[in-house]
Amino acid sequence: KIRSIKIVSEVAKCTEDKAKATLTENNYQVKNSILMIKYGISFEDSEKELKKAEGILAKAMENLSKI
C-alpha cells in the first residue's frame, strides 16, 4: 500500500495524503486513482477511459490530454 501511495503521488503530482485518500476510496486501484486525481474525473469515467485504452495507463492519459 505504501508503494501504491508513492506511485500515485508521483505520477499524479499530488500529496501522499491525497493519493492515499483516493486509493482508499477506490480499493487501491492505482490506475484509476491516477486518472481521477490528474484529470479530475470520476471512478466511473476512469473505468471507461481505461477500457478504451485497453487497460494501458499511458494510452488513457494520452487520450485524456487531448480533451
Side-chain angles (χ1 to χ4, degrees):
K1 290 185 178 183
I2 292 170
R3 184 168 178 253
S4 298
I5 293 167
K6 291 192 179 298
I7 290 168
V8 171
S9 67
E10 286 180 26
V11 176
K13 298 188 182 354
C14 68
T15 65
E16 288 189 4
D17 287 341
K18 174 74 173 171
K20 184 177 181 179
T22 305
L23 282 161
T24 302
E25 289 173 21
N26 301 315
N27 198 27
Y28 280 77
Q29 298 294 314
V30 173
K31 293 177 183 180
N32 297 79
S33 296
I34 290 169
L35 294 177
M36 291 172 67
I37 295 168
K38 194 165 179 75
Y39 300 99
I41 61 176
S42 67
F43 182 82
E44 293 76 19
D45 287 341
S46 71
E47 282 286 289
K48 289 177 192 172
E49 292 299 327
L50 284 167
K51 189 173 181 179
K52 282 195 286 187
E54 301 169 343
I56 301 168
L57 179 60
K59 192 173 179 181
M61 291 171 70
E62 184 180 321
N63 291 342
L64 285 165
S65 293
K66 295 176 182 175
I67 298 173

